[in-house]
Amino acid sequence: MTESVNSGKRASEAAPSIDHKRVKIDRTGKVVEEKQVGITQYINEENRSGGFYGSIKQRYCDFLVNEIDLSNNVVHLVDEGINLGKTKRERNLEKRQEERSELQGKTAEEVERIKEQKKQELEQQPKYELSSEDKEKLLKLITEAELNQIESLFNSGDKMETQTKFEDKQTRTTLHQLLRQAFQSKLETVTTPENTFRIALARNNSARRRNPQESINHVDENGVVNYGLGPFKNYLHFTVYKENRETMEVASTISKFLRIPSKNIGYAGTKDRRGVTCQRFSISKGKVARVSSLNKGLKNVVLGGFTYEDLPLGLGDLKGNEFVITIRDVKPFNDKDSVETIIEKCFNSLQQKGFINYYGMQRFGTFSISTHELGIKILQEDWKGAVDLVLSEQEIVAPESIDARACWAETRNPSLTLKKMPRRCTAEYSILSVLEKERLDKNEDYGSNSYFKSIMAIPRNLRIMYAHAYQSYIWNLVVSKRFEMFGMDVQVGDLVLVQNEAPAQEKDVDGEDFEEDVVTSKFVRARPLTEEDIAASTYTIYDIVLPTPGFDILYPTNEKLMQVYTEVMAKDGLDPLKMNRRVREFSLAGSYRHIMGKPTNLSYKIVKYDDPNEPMVRTDLELTRLKKDGEENVAREIDHQEGERTGVVLTMQLPVSSYATMALREFMKADTSRFGDVFSSGK
């Protein structure tokens, strides 16, 4: 036996002494299907066969998402950041290019003569240019003798102090700015404790400023503070426009470029990768020039709309999102139906009735194995089973991870597998990095504690997401069964919130934020409806909530619904009444979620077109640039001529607790299992 095995560690170069078989994973299909995560019902069941097909997210601009802030304002990109002018590096580069151009084709003697001439011209240039206008302004604040002393500094290199005292703060500020402007920033000015001015020539290597306020505010040559944003405040807010980028990915990139902790960056909610989105960010102690300059290096991201604010942004600081969704290649399920008639009928149903507020397919990941299956293993405290699922071979995974997964299945060697696993596969890479350092037991396997440590190495938000995905799965199953049994009728034992509060982000048991678009029991309570409530018709289906499983929620007192919770969780070896765990972060408190969603500001437009890649709407960036070029009143939607193809542009606003894909599912009566490709028949 090799030395590495004797020491309890697996050799990175040698294969294990025991031939491990591949871990068998039960694959039910290439993609996770709606029925596998509890999505089975429609509101308008009688019209279920009268829907239409369509292609979603064919282009990034087919899915536009704009955040709605707490003041009900839709967040838009209004500019591409502040105009910083050319950098010193760019100015120097231009100067060198001009010099090269001027010297091109010249002989060595001519080059030397030109250089000598420029040197003499530079020496003869005045050290400053004091305009008559600036001189007049200065003499209103200081004496002529003091001005003469200031000018003599350029010859003596000494320093001087004014006899005049400036008791008024605004006057001092004006004089600082005026001296900087009048002498082209070649003077250093400091206010003394006696409110006189001490003035000296600025040293090239000295950027010191005695006034702390001046050190944090940028003041240009015209006295404009922070590019017109006003005085510096603790938090810099700005709009992030992004294409095909995740919110956390953008935040991480900004953190890296600015060399600041990621915790200094705040945002109200996360937005989809595949689409074009606008949302607000905040940065603690952010300087606008530094942040806006990132626009030169960011890819598919534009920062704009800068303001200074007193408070940061945090998860949940939004009312919802506005969606502009383009559905391409629209065709009715039944070829005999008019597509225009079908779309109108489906739209009216969505507008009048809304949709079942399911957790959408993106909640359950994009691989062949749903994230809720990992949640089951974690809640069962089956750490090895969880690791096997994360590292398993699947029909749909990140392509660059396929070889690494095959290596793990063949060898169960973390060192070899780690060499093939890309770092962007965060969970997989984290697990392997821990197992590589763990000792094997006598059965040539890792102990439960080693597997547990590897799961806990996954970034916290991600590992908690697995458990929350299971809660979402159970909620979907229960709400489907509820509509199957009772439809839109309110029942005795249904739950309503005690207080009519807006959805809030969930807090886990450690009190730290978790990105969750649900109402949490920590903020609100629920009660069951009584016979008297039903008789009084006080509540409608839009008031009803269902809980996700947890230890701090009230379950419906309707026995049939409670039986659903019990039976479906029992199949997974879990109990809805026993949701505490030894690992505190996996002890789930539970939360409440409205079972119905209803879009607001809902509208649609049918578009005829021929080119399958033809854009049907303009992005915020395109609108901003058109307006910058002088085009006013530019519409979001692009006018199209007649064509053979049919598309639909749907506009709607949803609260934070709703998924746009679930509204689309009800609108089209379509299946969303192939989200990002084609919505197929929901029959």
Side-chain angles (χ1 to χ4, degrees):
M1 194 173 282
T2 65
E3 182 180 349
S4 62
V5 173
N6 281 327
S7 65
K9 292 189 177 182
R10 200 184 296 278
S12 61
E13 300 300 331
S17 57
I18 297 177
D19 183 25
H20 290 276
K21 296 181 179 179
R22 288 174 180 254
V23 177
K24 298 294 183 181
I25 300 296
D26 180 25
R27 299 193 186 106
T28 55
K30 288 187 177 181
V31 296
V32 178
E33 298 179 353
E34 284 187 347
K35 62 183 179 182
Q36 291 175 268
V37 293
I39 302 172
T40 61
Q41 304 297 306
Y42 291 87
I43 291 300
N44 197 357
E45 285 287 347
E46 66 273 12
N47 191 37
R48 187 167 176 176
S49 61
F52 57 94
Y53 305 99
S55 178
I56 308 296
K57 293 191 177 182
Q58 184 173 312
R59 295 165 53 97
Y60 300 146
C61 62
D62 287 350
F63 201 81
L64 308 184
V65 186
N66 292 74
E67 197 168 77
I68 303 172
D69 66 22
L70 292 175
S71 299
N72 271 327
N73 299 311
V74 180
V75 173
H76 288 287
L77 184 73
V78 295
D79 58 55
E80 296 182 62
I82 58 176
N83 183 8
L84 298 170
K86 294 177 182 177
T87 64
K88 184 178 180 180
R89 181 180 179 183
E90 290 170 335
R91 290 195 300 269
N92 290 338
L93 181 61
E94 284 184 0
K95 185 178 178 181
R96 286 197 297 271
Q97 288 173 339
E98 287 176 7
E99 291 173 350
R100 289 194 190 106
S101 177
E102 188 177 353
L103 298 175
Q104 192 172 4
K106 299 288 193 297
T107 64
E109 292 79 8
E110 288 173 325
V111 169
E112 284 301 318
R113 188 167 59 251
I114 292 171
K115 287 184 176 180
E116 183 62 30
Q117 183 181 348
K118 286 186 176 293
K119 181 180 178 182
Q120 292 176 4
E121 290 174 355
L122 188 62
E123 290 174 350
Q124 293 171 4
Q125 283 181 358
K127 297 177 180 177
Y128 64 91
E129 295 179 11
L130 180 61
S131 69
S132 57
E133 182 182 355
D134 287 339
K135 182 174 182 179
E136 184 180 345
K137 291 179 181 177
L138 283 168
L139 290 175
K140 291 179 180 179
L141 300 174
I142 60 177
T143 67
E144 188 164 356
E146 288 170 332
L147 179 56
N148 290 335
Q149 280 183 280
I150 293 171
E151 292 188 276
S152 70
L153 296 177
F154 288 91
N155 294 319
S156 68
D158 204 351
K159 58 185 176 183
M160 63 85 63
E161 185 174 334
T162 64
Q163 294 295 318
T164 308
K165 294 185 178 182
F166 305 91
E167 305 295 345
D168 179 59
K169 180 181 178 182
Q170 183 58 48
T171 302
R172 294 196 299 270
T173 302
T174 301
L175 184 55
H176 278 296
Q177 294 173 355
L178 185 53
L179 286 168
R180 187 183 301 115
Q181 174 187 314
F183 290 97
Q184 296 85 56
S185 299
K186 295 180 179 179
L187 295 177
E188 233 177 47
T189 60
V190 177
T191 305
T192 68
E194 293 76 28
N195 288 328
T196 61
F197 266 49
R198 189 175 294 128
I199 305 169
L201 290 181
R203 289 172 289 177
N204 291 335
N205 63 347
S206 174
R208 62 187 175 89
R209 295 175 185 241
R210 298 292 178 87
N211 186 338
Q213 188 65 17
E214 286 189 17
S215 69
I216 59 176
N217 284 317
H218 171 87
V219 183
D220 68 14
E221 62 273 12
N222 298 314
V224 177
V225 180
N226 291 325
Y227 302 88
L229 302 186
F232 181 92
K233 293 184 180 179
N234 283 333
Y235 297 95
L236 179 68
H237 287 217
F238 54 96
T239 298
V240 174
Y241 167 96
K242 61 184 183 67
E243 299 179 1
N244 197 36
R245 298 285 299 274
E246 292 177 350
T247 299
M248 287 185 284
E249 178 189 5
V250 172
S252 176
T253 301
I254 292 174
S255 168
K256 178 182 175 182
F257 283 179
L258 294 180
R259 297 179 181 179
I260 61 173
S262 56
K263 66 181 181 181
N264 286 12
I265 301 174
Y267 44 84
T270 57
K271 302 288 178 282
D272 286 346
R273 166 186 283 274
R274 190 163 178 80
V276 178
T277 71
C278 278
Q279 65 184 119
R280 296 292 282 178
F281 270 44
S282 69
I283 291 183
S284 174
K285 308 295 184 183
K287 298 193 75 171
V288 62
R290 190 179 179 205
V291 178
S292 186
S293 67
L294 297 181
N295 279 322
K296 295 182 179 181
L298 292 173
K299 185 178 180 181
N300 297 332
V301 176
V302 177
L303 313 181
F306 290 93
T307 62
Y308 275 115
E309 306 291 346
D310 294 317
L311 299 172
L313 285 171
L315 291 170
D317 288 342
L318 75 166
K319 284 290 182 68
N321 297 286
E322 180 176 84
F323 298 87
V324 180
I325 301 170
T326 299
I327 310 170
R328 296 176 182 268
D329 290 324
V330 170
K331 295 180 177 66
F333 293 163
N334 189 337
D335 292 337
K336 296 179 182 179
D337 292 335
S338 161
V339 68
E340 290 81 6
T341 302
I342 290 296
I343 290 171
E344 182 181 10
K345 195 172 182 180
C346 290
F347 176 82
N348 290 337
S349 173
L350 178 63
Q351 187 176 49
Q352 293 164 14
K353 297 181 180 179
F355 59 98
I356 301 175
N357 197 26
Y358 285 119
Y359 288 98
M361 295 302 296
Q362 56 267 54
R363 180 73 167 180
F364 303 98
T366 55
F367 292 177
S368 297
I369 293 177
S370 170
T371 51
H372 87 270
E373 296 180 60
L374 280 161
I376 294 173
K377 296 296 183 183
I378 284 173
L379 292 175
Q380 290 174 340
E381 300 182 343
D382 178 3
W383 312 117
K384 179 180 179 180
V387 166
D388 286 339
L389 280 178
V390 172
L391 298 176
S392 68
E393 293 182 282
Q394 304 174 44
E395 293 183 45
I396 296 181
V397 288
E400 60 269 41
S401 73
I402 291 175
D403 289 346
R405 294 173 188 280
C407 180
W408 176 256
E410 290 285 355
T411 69
R412 294 187 71 79
N413 185 315
S415 297
L416 292 178
T417 307
L418 195 61
K419 292 178 180 179
K420 299 176 181 290
M421 186 65 71
R423 282 183 176 270
R424 85 172 189 88
C425 296
T426 308
E428 293 86 344
Y429 201 90
S430 300
I431 286 172
L432 292 167
S433 297
V434 169
L435 290 183
E436 184 184 35
K437 301 169 185 175
E438 290 297 300
R439 295 179 179 275
L440 295 166
D441 60 23
K442 62 182 180 181
N443 297 317
E444 278 284 292
D445 198 357
Y446 297 103
S448 178
N449 189 56
S450 295
Y451 285 118
F452 169 70
K453 285 169 64 177
S454 71
I455 289 293
M456 296 304 289
I458 298 173
R460 190 171 184 278
N461 262 5
L462 185 54
R463 66 179 185 255
I464 296 176
M465 182 190 73
Y466 300 143
H468 282 269
Y470 181 72
Q471 288 179 302
S472 304
Y473 160 73
I474 295 299
W475 192 94
N476 280 356
L477 285 172
V478 176
V479 79
S480 288
K481 195 64 178 178
R482 192 220 171 277
F483 277 100
E484 183 183 326
M485 292 188 295
F486 308 122
M488 300 277 282
D489 296 331
V490 177
Q491 302 292 310
V492 172
D494 275 337
L495 299 179
V496 294
L497 298 181
V498 174
Q499 297 177 344
N500 185 22
E501 296 192 19
Q505 74 188 67
E506 184 172 12
K507 298 268 187 174
D508 64 35
V509 292
D510 291 329
E512 296 183 21
D513 292 340
F514 177 76
E515 297 164 20
E516 180 66 59
D517 294 335
V518 294
V519 179
T520 170
S521 60
K522 193 176 183 73
F523 296 101
V524 294
R525 293 295 173 186
R527 72 170 180 85
L529 295 183
T530 63
E531 292 280 4
E532 291 75 14
D533 293 321
I534 303 299
S537 299
T538 306
Y539 297 95
T540 70
I541 194 69
Y542 302 98
D543 298 309
I544 305 304
V545 298
L546 277 174
T548 60
F551 64 78
D552 193 28
I553 48 86
L554 175 70
Y555 287 101
T557 55
N558 184 304
E559 291 184 5
K560 291 182 178 179
L561 276 183
M562 190 58 216
Q563 188 177 358
V564 178
Y565 280 98
T566 303
E567 290 180 355
V568 297
M569 291 184 67
K571 293 177 182 177
D572 301 319
L574 299 170
D575 186 340
L577 300 178
K578 296 178 181 179
M579 296 302 292
N580 280 300
R581 293 294 180 273
R582 287 180 294 178
V583 182
R584 291 186 64 204
E585 66 182 41
F586 298 137
S587 287
L588 304 177
S591 55
Y592 298 104
R593 180 177 176 85
H594 283 94
I595 67 174
M596 287 290 295
K598 206 169 187 182
T600 56
N601 295 318
L602 188 64
S603 65
Y604 78 96
K605 181 180 180 180
I606 295 178
V607 181
K608 294 291 185 179
Y609 67 103
D610 283 318
D611 184 351
N613 295 314
E614 188 175 0
M616 297 185 193
V617 295
R618 297 181 177 92
T619 66
D620 272 34
L621 183 59
E622 290 170 328
L623 290 172
T624 297
R625 289 177 175 173
L626 286 171
K627 291 174 183 176
K628 186 179 179 181
D629 291 340
E631 295 192 35
E632 298 294 333
N633 302 318
V634 184
R636 169 77 79 182
E637 295 172 354
I638 300 172
D639 291 331
H640 286 77
Q641 304 298 321
E642 287 297 313
E644 295 296 321
R645 300 172 185 266
T646 301
V648 180
V649 177
L650 181 70
T651 301
M652 61 181 170
Q653 293 183 355
L654 294 173
V656 291
S657 57
S658 296
Y659 284 74
T661 50
M662 294 298 98
L664 278 176
R665 175 181 181 271
E666 184 67 40
F667 176 45
M668 299 170 67
K669 303 298 179 289
D671 188 295
T672 65
S673 297
R674 298 185 65 197
F675 181 70
D677 187 358
V678 177
F679 276 22
S680 58
S681 171
K683 292 185 284 186

